[in-house]
Amino acid sequence: MTRSPSCLPSAAAELLLTREPLRLEEALSRVGGPGHGAVVSFLGCVRDSEDGRPIGAIDYEAYAGMAERQLALILRQAREKWPGLRAAAHHRYGRVAAGEPSLVVAVSTGHRAEAFRAAQFIIDRIKEDVPVWKVGYEWVR
Amino acid sequence: MKLLFFAASAQWAGRRELELTLDRPVTLASLCRSHPALESILLRREGLRVAVNQEFSTFDAEVHDHDEVAFLPPVSGG
């Protein structure tokens, strides 16, 4: 059965650290529900250049166990700040091709203002405290 | 104990992992001073973060033989 992404939370992972391609629908399926009037999603995608030079992909390294713990902590902090919040954060590592998402965040709340704020908070905290690194570029001639 | 070196810190230490045996607890800073491979890490201490058992910690923290220590240059995920 096909349904809109935000009827009821599904069994998809709330947090995920994976080498596999990320799917926006999977993160969206974790959020939304009765009373959740606002759903905000974010994709952080690999740009096709670095310092003006074209690239085909970025290699990400992760401290997998700690990265998962940090993602869980950040989602917990967000839920403390915005009670009732539903959120999912999925990060990819390994080789990610230009144009593909390395980060997907989805949140839902009653109204839009807190949904935007919560999404921004989660993304900023991930950028600060989740042990994942860009360690190499696939340069394109 | 197990020490893990991520991203640029692996180049500084010349390895990605190191196994050591600790007879008694020591601070991470003094452990780094006592081992040649870790001295290069100490030189780059500014901006470098450390984790003990997958939680952020400091060079002043006391570490034990069963601990997992990781050296974490500034993250650049997302």
Side-chain angles (χ1 to χ4, degrees), chain A residues 1 7 10-11 19 25 36 45 58 71-72 84 87 104-105 116-117 122 127 132 137 141:
Chain A
M1 186 184 99
C7 295
S10 77
R19 291 180 176 274
E25 313 81 66
H36 282 229
C45 298
I58 293 180
L71 286 174
V104 172
V105 170
F116 279 114
R117 272 188 222 115
I122 290 167
K127 289 279 196 179
V132 176
Y137 300 100
R141 288 165 197 263

PDB file of all heavy atoms in Angstrom, chain A residues 1 7 10-11 19 25 36 45 58 71-72 84 87 104-105 116-117 122 127 132 137 141:
ATOM      1  N   MET A   1       0.845  -1.197   0.000  1.00  0.00           N
ATOM      2  CA  MET A   1       0.000   0.000   0.000  1.00  0.00           C
ATOM      3  C   MET A   1       0.880   1.246   0.000  1.00  0.00           C
ATOM      4  O   MET A   1       1.815   1.349   0.782  1.00  0.00           O
ATOM      5  CB  MET A   1      -0.888  -0.022   1.244  1.00  0.00           C
ATOM      6  CG  MET A   1      -1.912   1.097   1.272  1.00  0.00           C
ATOM      7  SD  MET A   1      -2.851   1.097   2.820  1.00  0.00           S
ATOM      8  CE  MET A   1      -1.996   2.381   3.729  1.00  0.00           C
ATOM      9  N   CYS A   7       1.738   9.777   7.568  1.00  0.00           N
ATOM     10  CA  CYS A   7       0.532   9.346   8.282  1.00  0.00           C
ATOM     11  C   CYS A   7       0.884   8.866   9.679  1.00  0.00           C
ATOM     12  O   CYS A   7       0.444   9.404  10.673  1.00  0.00           O
ATOM     13  CB  CYS A   7      -0.176   8.232   7.526  1.00  0.00           C
ATOM     14  SG  CYS A   7      -0.808   8.757   5.938  1.00  0.00           S
ATOM     15  N   SER A  10       6.791   4.649  10.949  1.00  0.00           N
ATOM     16  CA  SER A  10       6.960   3.256  10.539  1.00  0.00           C
ATOM     17  C   SER A  10       8.109   2.622  11.310  1.00  0.00           C
ATOM     18  O   SER A  10       8.655   3.196  12.237  1.00  0.00           O
ATOM     19  CB  SER A  10       7.272   3.197   9.052  1.00  0.00           C
ATOM     20  OG  SER A  10       8.630   3.552   8.863  1.00  0.00           O
ATOM     21  N   ALA A  11       8.481   1.436  10.876  1.00  0.00           N
ATOM     22  CA  ALA A  11       9.575   0.719  11.536  1.00  0.00           C
ATOM     23  C   ALA A  11      10.948   1.132  11.007  1.00  0.00           C
ATOM     24  O   ALA A  11      11.950   0.590  11.425  1.00  0.00           O
ATOM     25  CB  ALA A  11       9.384  -0.779  11.353  1.00  0.00           C
ATOM     26  N   ARG A  19      26.685   2.625   4.789  1.00  0.00           N
ATOM     27  CA  ARG A  19      27.422   2.815   3.531  1.00  0.00           C
ATOM     28  C   ARG A  19      26.474   2.832   2.340  1.00  0.00           C
ATOM     29  O   ARG A  19      26.871   3.154   1.236  1.00  0.00           O
ATOM     30  CB  ARG A  19      28.429   1.672   3.348  1.00  0.00           C
ATOM     31  CG  ARG A  19      29.583   1.703   4.317  1.00  0.00           C
ATOM     32  CD  ARG A  19      30.513   0.528   4.055  1.00  0.00           C
ATOM     33  NE  ARG A  19      31.679   0.591   4.918  1.00  0.00           N
ATOM     34  CZ  ARG A  19      32.784   1.276   4.628  1.00  0.00           C
ATOM     35  NH1 ARG A  19      32.876   1.941   3.496  1.00  0.00           N
ATOM     36  NH2 ARG A  19      33.794   1.295   5.463  1.00  0.00           N
ATOM     37  N   GLU A  25      12.537   8.996   1.641  1.00  0.00           N
ATOM     38  CA  GLU A  25      11.240   8.438   2.078  1.00  0.00           C
ATOM     39  C   GLU A  25      11.385   7.649   3.373  1.00  0.00           C
ATOM     40  O   GLU A  25      10.463   7.611   4.184  1.00  0.00           O
ATOM     41  CB  GLU A  25      10.640   7.504   1.010  1.00  0.00           C
ATOM     42  CG  GLU A  25      10.642   8.039  -0.408  1.00  0.00           C
ATOM     43  CD  GLU A  25      11.991   7.848  -1.074  1.00  0.00           C
ATOM     44  OE1 GLU A  25      12.380   6.694  -1.305  1.00  0.00           O
ATOM     45  OE2 GLU A  25      12.679   8.850  -1.341  1.00  0.00           O
ATOM     46  N   HIS A  36       0.557  16.442  13.914  1.00  0.00           N
ATOM     47  CA  HIS A  36       1.818  16.957  13.375  1.00  0.00           C
ATOM     48  C   HIS A  36       1.541  17.672  12.050  1.00  0.00           C
ATOM     49  O   HIS A  36       1.496  17.057  10.986  1.00  0.00           O
ATOM     50  CB  HIS A  36       2.834  15.824  13.191  1.00  0.00           C
ATOM     51  CG  HIS A  36       3.469  15.410  14.476  1.00  0.00           C
ATOM     52  ND1 HIS A  36       4.819  15.275  14.643  1.00  0.00           N
ATOM     53  CD2 HIS A  36       2.911  15.146  15.687  1.00  0.00           C
ATOM     54  CE1 HIS A  36       5.073  14.940  15.902  1.00  0.00           C
ATOM     55  NE2 HIS A  36       3.934  14.846  16.549  1.00  0.00           N
ATOM     56  N   CYS A  45      23.782  17.230   0.315  1.00  0.00           N
ATOM     57  CA  CYS A  45      24.255  16.496  -0.865  1.00  0.00           C
ATOM     58  C   CYS A  45      25.699  16.860  -1.203  1.00  0.00           C
ATOM     59  O   CYS A  45      26.141  17.980  -0.958  1.00  0.00           O
ATOM     60  CB  CYS A  45      23.363  16.803  -2.073  1.00  0.00           C
ATOM     61  SG  CYS A  45      21.661  16.289  -1.801  1.00  0.00           S
ATOM     62  N   ILE A  58      33.022  11.992  -2.809  1.00  0.00           N
ATOM     63  CA  ILE A  58      33.765  12.232  -1.567  1.00  0.00           C
ATOM     64  C   ILE A  58      33.809  10.923  -0.782  1.00  0.00           C
ATOM     65  O   ILE A  58      32.820  10.187  -0.730  1.00  0.00           O
ATOM     66  CB  ILE A  58      33.094  13.318  -0.698  1.00  0.00           C
ATOM     67  CG1 ILE A  58      33.165  14.681  -1.399  1.00  0.00           C
ATOM     68  CG2 ILE A  58      33.765  13.410   0.679  1.00  0.00           C
ATOM     69  CD1 ILE A  58      32.525  15.808  -0.594  1.00  0.00           C
ATOM     70  N   LEU A  71      24.403  10.541  17.280  1.00  0.00           N
ATOM     71  CA  LEU A  71      23.129  10.820  16.612  1.00  0.00           C
ATOM     72  C   LEU A  71      21.974  10.604  17.584  1.00  0.00           C
ATOM     73  O   LEU A  71      21.037  11.416  17.649  1.00  0.00           O
ATOM     74  CB  LEU A  71      22.953   9.919  15.385  1.00  0.00           C
ATOM     75  CG  LEU A  71      23.786  10.252  14.144  1.00  0.00           C
ATOM     76  CD1 LEU A  71      23.601   9.165  13.072  1.00  0.00           C
ATOM     77  CD2 LEU A  71      23.397  11.610  13.557  1.00  0.00           C
ATOM     78  N   ALA A  72      22.040   9.522  18.359  1.00  0.00           N
ATOM     79  CA  ALA A  72      20.976   9.237  19.330  1.00  0.00           C
ATOM     80  C   ALA A  72      20.899  10.346  20.378  1.00  0.00           C
ATOM     81  O   ALA A  72      19.801  10.801  20.738  1.00  0.00           O
ATOM     82  CB  ALA A  72      21.228   7.885  20.006  1.00  0.00           C
ATOM     83  N   GLY A  84       7.331  16.224  21.997  1.00  0.00           N
ATOM     84  CA  GLY A  84       6.404  15.777  20.960  1.00  0.00           C
ATOM     85  C   GLY A  84       7.040  15.663  19.588  1.00  0.00           C
ATOM     86  O   GLY A  84       6.450  15.097  18.666  1.00  0.00           O
ATOM     87  N   ALA A  87      11.633  12.747  14.912  1.00  0.00           N
ATOM     88  CA  ALA A  87      12.805  13.096  14.115  1.00  0.00           C
ATOM     89  C   ALA A  87      13.543  11.845  13.662  1.00  0.00           C
ATOM     90  O   ALA A  87      13.513  10.807  14.333  1.00  0.00           O
ATOM     91  CB  ALA A  87      13.752  13.973  14.932  1.00  0.00           C
ATOM     92  N   VAL A 104      20.548  12.900   5.657  1.00  0.00           N
ATOM     93  CA  VAL A 104      19.109  13.147   5.537  1.00  0.00           C
ATOM     94  C   VAL A 104      18.550  13.333   6.941  1.00  0.00           C
ATOM     95  O   VAL A 104      18.796  12.504   7.822  1.00  0.00           O
ATOM     96  CB  VAL A 104      18.382  11.976   4.830  1.00  0.00           C
ATOM     97  CG1 VAL A 104      16.874  12.172   4.890  1.00  0.00           C
ATOM     98  CG2 VAL A 104      18.833  11.849   3.383  1.00  0.00           C
ATOM     99  N   VAL A 105      17.857  14.435   7.145  1.00  0.00           N
ATOM    100  CA  VAL A 105      17.204  14.703   8.428  1.00  0.00           C
ATOM    101  C   VAL A 105      15.733  14.995   8.158  1.00  0.00           C
ATOM    102  O   VAL A 105      15.412  15.744   7.225  1.00  0.00           O
ATOM    103  CB  VAL A 105      17.867  15.907   9.148  1.00  0.00           C
ATOM    104  CG1 VAL A 105      17.039  16.334  10.370  1.00  0.00           C
ATOM    105  CG2 VAL A 105      19.287  15.547   9.581  1.00  0.00           C
ATOM    106  N   PHE A 116      11.088  23.872  11.691  1.00  0.00           N
ATOM    107  CA  PHE A 116      12.291  24.433  11.052  1.00  0.00           C
ATOM    108  C   PHE A 116      13.426  24.572  12.075  1.00  0.00           C
ATOM    109  O   PHE A 116      14.576  24.256  11.793  1.00  0.00           O
ATOM    110  CB  PHE A 116      11.997  25.799  10.418  1.00  0.00           C
ATOM    111  CG  PHE A 116      11.351  25.697   9.060  1.00  0.00           C
ATOM    112  CD1 PHE A 116      10.044  26.127   8.847  1.00  0.00           C
ATOM    113  CD2 PHE A 116      12.054  25.173   7.979  1.00  0.00           C
ATOM    114  CE1 PHE A 116       9.453  26.029   7.589  1.00  0.00           C
ATOM    115  CE2 PHE A 116      11.475  25.080   6.715  1.00  0.00           C
ATOM    116  CZ  PHE A 116      10.161  25.507   6.526  1.00  0.00           C
ATOM    117  N   ARG A 117      13.075  25.074  13.271  1.00  0.00           N
ATOM    118  CA  ARG A 117      14.118  25.268  14.297  1.00  0.00           C
ATOM    119  C   ARG A 117      14.738  23.939  14.710  1.00  0.00           C
ATOM    120  O   ARG A 117      15.951  23.827  14.881  1.00  0.00           O
ATOM    121  CB  ARG A 117      13.532  25.973  15.523  1.00  0.00           C
ATOM    122  CG  ARG A 117      13.584  27.478  15.397  1.00  0.00           C
ATOM    123  CD  ARG A 117      13.183  28.155  16.713  1.00  0.00           C
ATOM    124  NE  ARG A 117      12.322  29.268  16.400  1.00  0.00           N
ATOM    125  CZ  ARG A 117      11.042  29.376  16.748  1.00  0.00           C
ATOM    126  NH1 ARG A 117      10.475  28.428  17.472  1.00  0.00           N
ATOM    127  NH2 ARG A 117      10.343  30.414  16.391  1.00  0.00           N
ATOM    128  N   ILE A 122      19.248  20.080  14.831  1.00  0.00           N
ATOM    129  CA  ILE A 122      19.790  18.725  14.634  1.00  0.00           C
ATOM    130  C   ILE A 122      20.932  18.749  13.618  1.00  0.00           C
ATOM    131  O   ILE A 122      21.995  18.151  13.843  1.00  0.00           O
ATOM    132  CB  ILE A 122      18.659  17.758  14.184  1.00  0.00           C
ATOM    133  CG1 ILE A 122      17.694  17.523  15.350  1.00  0.00           C
ATOM    134  CG2 ILE A 122      19.237  16.435  13.677  1.00  0.00           C
ATOM    135  CD1 ILE A 122      16.391  16.842  14.953  1.00  0.00           C
ATOM    136  N   LYS A 127      26.817  18.512  12.553  1.00  0.00           N
ATOM    137  CA  LYS A 127      28.037  19.105  11.980  1.00  0.00           C
ATOM    138  C   LYS A 127      29.118  19.320  13.048  1.00  0.00           C
ATOM    139  O   LYS A 127      30.305  19.356  12.732  1.00  0.00           O
ATOM    140  CB  LYS A 127      27.701  20.455  11.336  1.00  0.00           C
ATOM    141  CG  LYS A 127      26.893  20.337  10.059  1.00  0.00           C
ATOM    142  CD  LYS A 127      27.807  20.024   8.908  1.00  0.00           C
ATOM    143  CE  LYS A 127      27.153  20.262   7.568  1.00  0.00           C
ATOM    144  NZ  LYS A 127      28.099  19.967   6.465  1.00  0.00           N
ATOM    145  N   VAL A 132      32.361  11.985  11.921  1.00  0.00           N
ATOM    146  CA  VAL A 132      32.419  11.602  10.508  1.00  0.00           C
ATOM    147  C   VAL A 132      33.313  12.631   9.825  1.00  0.00           C
ATOM    148  O   VAL A 132      33.250  13.818  10.165  1.00  0.00           O
ATOM    149  CB  VAL A 132      31.010  11.606   9.862  1.00  0.00           C
ATOM    150  CG1 VAL A 132      31.107  11.299   8.371  1.00  0.00           C
ATOM    151  CG2 VAL A 132      30.093  10.594  10.546  1.00  0.00           C
ATOM    152  N   TYR A 137      38.848  13.019  -1.949  1.00  0.00           N
ATOM    153  CA  TYR A 137      38.002  13.411  -3.073  1.00  0.00           C
ATOM    154  C   TYR A 137      38.390  12.604  -4.296  1.00  0.00           C
ATOM    155  O   TYR A 137      39.567  12.320  -4.523  1.00  0.00           O
ATOM    156  CB  TYR A 137      38.181  14.905  -3.384  1.00  0.00           C
ATOM    157  CG  TYR A 137      37.817  15.789  -2.219  1.00  0.00           C
ATOM    158  CD1 TYR A 137      38.803  16.318  -1.394  1.00  0.00           C
ATOM    159  CD2 TYR A 137      36.486  16.066  -1.937  1.00  0.00           C
ATOM    160  CE1 TYR A 137      38.477  17.126  -0.307  1.00  0.00           C
ATOM    161  CE2 TYR A 137      36.149  16.871  -0.852  1.00  0.00           C
ATOM    162  CZ  TYR A 137      37.140  17.395  -0.044  1.00  0.00           C
ATOM    163  OH  TYR A 137      36.812  18.175   1.025  1.00  0.00           O
ATOM    164  N   ARG A 141      39.042  14.924 -14.105  1.00  0.00           N
ATOM    165  CA  ARG A 141      39.873  15.733 -15.018  1.00  0.00           C
ATOM    166  C   ARG A 141      39.004  16.557 -15.943  1.00  0.00           C
ATOM    167  O   ARG A 141      38.002  16.078 -16.420  1.00  0.00           O
ATOM    168  CB  ARG A 141      40.738  14.814 -15.901  1.00  0.00           C
ATOM    169  CG  ARG A 141      41.849  14.171 -15.165  1.00  0.00           C
ATOM    170  CD  ARG A 141      42.385  13.025 -16.016  1.00  0.00           C
ATOM    171  NE  ARG A 141      43.173  12.116 -15.207  1.00  0.00           N
ATOM    172  CZ  ARG A 141      44.499  12.174 -15.125  1.00  0.00           C
ATOM    173  NH1 ARG A 141      45.144  13.088 -15.786  1.00  0.00           N
ATOM    174  NH2 ARG A 141      45.152  11.326 -14.381  1.00  0.00           N
TER     175      ARG A 141
END
